[in-house]
Amino acid sequence: MKIKYRITILFTLLVTFILFFVCASIYYFSDLNRKLDFQRRIRNRALSTISLLVKVEGIDRDLLRRIDQNMLISLREKSVIVYDNNNKEVYRFKDEGATLERPEASVLDYTRNNGEYVYSKGHRDVIAVKYGAGDQEYISVAAAYDKEGLEKMSELKFVLIVSFISGTLITLLSGLIFSSRLVVPIKKITSEVKEISSQNLSRRIILNETKDELYELSSTFNELLTRLQQSFEIQRRFIANASHELSTP
């Protein structure tokens, strides 16, 4: 394999790895931020429901359901269940077409001991939070589907994939151009060396002004040619002297 292709492949692999790492990091942290933000919104919804239920005097379940139904916060397929100390439902609400998320008793116990429990069920995120009001402890379990956030993540994923592929192709093309220009001086040295034979050993490779590795290579070739020329001259003089001695009685 020619050296320019090896340089192109190595350069492309390196930049491709960097692009993949950057794109993967952007997607990972964006999705993590989406999850945290959506969980915060569900948590606020759960705490708001308990707060209205406990602190607002005279509010009944039907009014609270109407409030939940007309909330402007964009939570899709949301459901809310409030439990009392005895894990008995004191309030529940769900959007039309959604299902109520009823956690297991172990989830409620964990929430009472730790204050919060977060998990996923199907395509929805679920949060169970504890809320204290006097001697009573309530647990609100809220679930919702982050449709808008997932759609944005899908769009971001498409943009990152296109950017990754485009960046890889651009890197491959630029790497090929870069490596081709890089080996031009080497090709020049090779061409000059091919033109040197035993008949023109006095010829030398033209040295570049920049004293880089190619300069050192050309200088080494010139030193080798100088030694070869001296060897040929010594051999020529020896043959001439030997012929003269043999031809003279």
Side-chain angles (χ1 to χ4, degrees), residues 127-230:
I127 292 183
V129 292
K130 183 176 68 173
Y131 185 90
D135 296 333
Q136 293 289 328
E137 279 189 354
Y138 296 91
I139 293 180
S140 179
V141 181
Y145 170 48
D146 189 16
K147 182 180 179 181
E148 289 79 8
L150 290 175
E151 287 177 350
K152 291 180 180 179
M153 289 305 302
S154 180
E155 293 174 359
L156 176 62
K157 183 178 180 180
F158 175 77
V159 171
L160 291 176
I161 291 176
V162 172
S163 301
F164 176 75
I165 295 175
S166 301
T168 302
L169 293 177
I170 293 173
T171 301
L172 181 62
L173 180 61
S174 60
L176 185 60
I177 296 174
F178 170 76
S179 61
S180 298
R181 296 183 61 181
L182 186 64
V183 299
V184 166
I186 300 177
K187 288 184 177 180
K188 183 179 178 182
I189 294 174
T190 303
S191 177
E192 292 180 358
V193 171
K194 286 182 178 179
E195 293 177 357
I196 297 175
S197 62
S198 58
Q199 283 73 30
N200 59 351
L201 283 177
S202 59
R203 183 171 176 176
R204 296 294 182 268
I205 300 173
I206 300 176
L207 299 177
N208 296 325
E209 296 181 359
T210 305
K211 293 186 178 182
D212 52 9
E213 287 78 3
L214 294 177
Y215 176 91
E216 294 178 359
L217 178 63
S218 300
S219 178
T220 302
F221 269 120
N222 287 339
E223 292 175 359
L224 175 62
L225 290 173
T226 299
R227 291 194 295 270
L228 288 174
Q229 184 181 11
Q230 292 174 352

Side-chain angles (χ1 to χ4, degrees), residues 91-138:
Y91 173 78
R92 65 181 179 181
F93 168 81
K94 69 181 183 68
D95 284 339
E96 184 178 355
T99 57
L100 286 169
E101 175 56 31
R102 290 187 172 89
E104 298 178 356
S106 59
V107 174
L108 299 178
D109 293 337
Y110 181 92
T111 305
R112 292 189 192 280
N113 295 327
N114 297 277
E116 182 176 296
Y117 187 79
V118 180
Y119 64 100
S120 297
K121 186 69 173 292
H123 61 278
R124 294 196 300 175
D125 294 326
V126 186
I127 292 183
V129 292
K130 183 176 68 173
Y131 185 90
D135 296 333
Q136 293 289 328
E137 279 189 354
Y138 296 91

Side-chain angles (χ1 to χ4, degrees), residues 49-68 90-93:
T49 299
I50 298 181
S51 180
L52 289 173
L53 186 64
V54 174
K55 292 184 177 181
V56 179
E57 297 181 0
I59 191 170
D60 57 16
R61 289 4 180 211
D62 292 334
L63 177 58
L64 187 54
R65 289 189 183 94
R66 287 198 297 269
I67 293 174
D68 275 330
V90 296
Y91 173 78
R92 65 181 179 181
F93 168 81

